[in-house]
């Protein structure tokens, strides 16, 4: 008889515990669904404390907000992050909750360096290729053009910074850089001259070819004015010129 009473007490205690747990869960669910916890604001801030130039209310409202579901407690922060990283110009986003009904999204913007390839894409100063409005990117002037094999984006960006320094002594700068599928470099300068530098065989050789061009350019410019179309620096001890007005198929070489 006592054994039966103990068994009944254990069953009753279990049922009461389950009931208490169900009531507690229902209470939590009821509380989290209160209107005060519905998301009332999503605040977008810059990750680096700099002013955001391209991410604004319109872009966020159109591309990210419609993809956000739930309230303060139930919204999935990873889903919110992914939604914001799908907004044009956003490189990276982090999200946190702010009591009782706000989200704060910290955004890192792409900083455009130039265009990439033939499809109207952009490349950032960090070597990320992204898609955004070209007109917005060129608000401060035309961007340099870059092209290269897939996976070579960061290498092209790094070489661009070096080319700017190397051509600076003759007050010229790269306007376009192309890295071919065979990893041969061509630089178009802002005076219209194409400089063929050939395949990458070490930084020292590339610098030596640029230095030779920089050394001879003042004489070439004085002699040929603005008629130089391209200069091929792939020769060991010289160069080849393509000059506007020269008969097709002819080259000038200096060795």
């Amino acid at each position: 008889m006592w054994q039966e009473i103990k068994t009944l007490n254990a069953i009753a205690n279990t049922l009461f515990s389950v009931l208490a747990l169900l009531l507690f869960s229902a209470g939590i669910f009821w509380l989290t669904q209160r209107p005060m916890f519905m998301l009332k604001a999503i605040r977008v801030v810059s990750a680096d404390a700099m002013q955001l130039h391209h991410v604004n209310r319109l872009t966020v409202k159109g591309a990210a907000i419609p993809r956000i579901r739930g309230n303060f407690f139930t919204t999935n922060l990873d889903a919110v992050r992914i939604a914001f990283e799908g907004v044009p110009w956003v490189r990276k986003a982090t999200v946190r909750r702010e009591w009782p009904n706000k989200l704060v999204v910290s955004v890192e913007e792409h900083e455009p360096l130039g265009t990439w390839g033939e499809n109207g894409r952009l490349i950032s100063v960090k070597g990320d290729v992204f898609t955004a409005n070209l007109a917005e990117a060129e608000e401060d002037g035309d961007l340099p053009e870059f092209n290269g094999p897939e996976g070579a984006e960061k290498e092209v960006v790094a070489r661009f910074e070096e080319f700017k320094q190397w051509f600076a002594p003759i007050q010229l700068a790269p306007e376009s850089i192309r890295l071919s599928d065979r990893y041969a470099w061509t630089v178009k300068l802002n005076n219209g001259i194409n400089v063929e530098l050939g395949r990458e065989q070490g930084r020292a050789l590339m610098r030596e070819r640029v230095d030779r061009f920089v050394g001879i350019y003042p004489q070439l410019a004085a002699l040929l004015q603005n008629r130089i179309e391209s200069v091929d620096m792939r020769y060991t001890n010289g160069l080849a010129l393509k000059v506007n007005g020269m008969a097709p198929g002819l080259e000038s070489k200096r060795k």
Side-chain angles (χ1 to χ4, degrees):
M1 179 177 179
W2 290 108
Q3 186 64 32
E4 292 178 357
I5 293 175
K6 287 182 179 180
T7 300
L8 291 173
N9 286 338
I11 293 173
N13 289 336
T14 300
L15 291 175
F16 281 128
S17 297
V18 171
L19 178 61
L21 181 60
L22 290 174
L23 290 173
F24 178 76
S25 299
I28 292 296
F29 178 78
W30 177 86
L31 180 63
T32 59
Q33 299 305 309
R34 294 306 85 202
M36 68 176 294
F37 297 120
M38 297 300 293
L39 292 175
K40 298 293 179 62
I42 298 176
R43 184 158 57 93
V44 180
V45 299
S46 173
D48 54 11
M50 301 293 288
Q51 181 180 355
L52 295 174
H53 295 286
H54 302 287
V55 178
N56 53 47
R57 181 180 178 182
L58 290 177
T59 57
V60 168
K61 184 177 180 180
I65 300 300
R67 299 171 60 187
I68 297 175
R69 301 287 184 271
N71 62 18
F72 179 80
F73 291 104
T74 62
T75 190
N76 185 311
L77 296 188
D78 277 339
V80 177
R81 175 186 59 79
I82 292 171
F84 271 85
E85 289 181 348
V87 173
W89 292 104
V90 174
R91 179 177 186 268
K92 184 178 180 182
T94 57
V95 186
R96 63 180 176 84
R97 294 180 172 91
E98 188 174 275
W99 182 265
N101 52 21
K102 295 180 181 179
L103 295 178
V104 179
V105 183
S106 181
V107 167
E108 179 186 347
E109 276 189 328
H110 286 293
E111 183 180 347
L113 177 66
T115 62
W116 180 266
E118 306 297 331
N119 299 318
R121 294 182 298 169
L122 297 165
I123 188 168
S124 75
V125 295
K126 294 186 177 181
D128 299 317
V129 174
F130 64 103
T131 302
N133 189 319
L134 180 60
E136 291 182 39
E138 294 188 325
E139 288 176 349
D140 298 325
D142 293 342
L143 295 173
E145 300 174 359
F146 302 95
N147 208 332
E150 183 178 352
E153 296 87 355
K154 287 181 170 54
E155 182 179 358
V156 172
V157 168
R159 185 63 80 191
F160 172 67
E161 295 301 321
E162 291 183 323
F163 284 149
K164 285 200 299 184
Q165 298 174 24
W166 296 351
F167 287 104
I170 51 175
Q171 287 76 54
L172 295 176
E175 183 179 272
S176 169
I177 295 179
R178 182 177 182 274
L179 181 61
S180 74
D181 291 338
R182 299 181 66 250
Y183 277 71
W185 294 91
T186 302
V187 179
K188 182 179 181 181
L189 299 173
N190 57 351
N191 63 352
I193 296 177
N194 284 295
V195 183
E196 299 282 350
L197 294 171
R199 297 181 65 181
E200 183 76 53
Q201 299 180 39
R203 183 177 182 275
L205 178 60
M206 194 65 56
R207 178 64 188 269
E208 186 272 332
R209 288 175 176 172
V210 173
D211 284 347
R212 280 196 290 116
F213 173 80
V214 168
I216 195 64
Y217 174 74
Q219 300 175 48
L220 295 176
L223 179 65
L224 299 170
Q225 301 296 320
N226 297 319
R227 297 168 56 203
I228 304 173
E229 295 183 10
S230 66
V231 181
D232 190 340
M233 300 302 304
R234 291 174 294 180
Y235 297 90
T236 303
N237 298 309
L239 55 86
L241 291 175
K242 182 178 180 181
V243 179
N244 185 27
M246 180 177 290
L250 294 180
E251 290 183 331
S252 295
K253 294 184 182 181
R254 185 182 180 206
K255 295 187 177 180

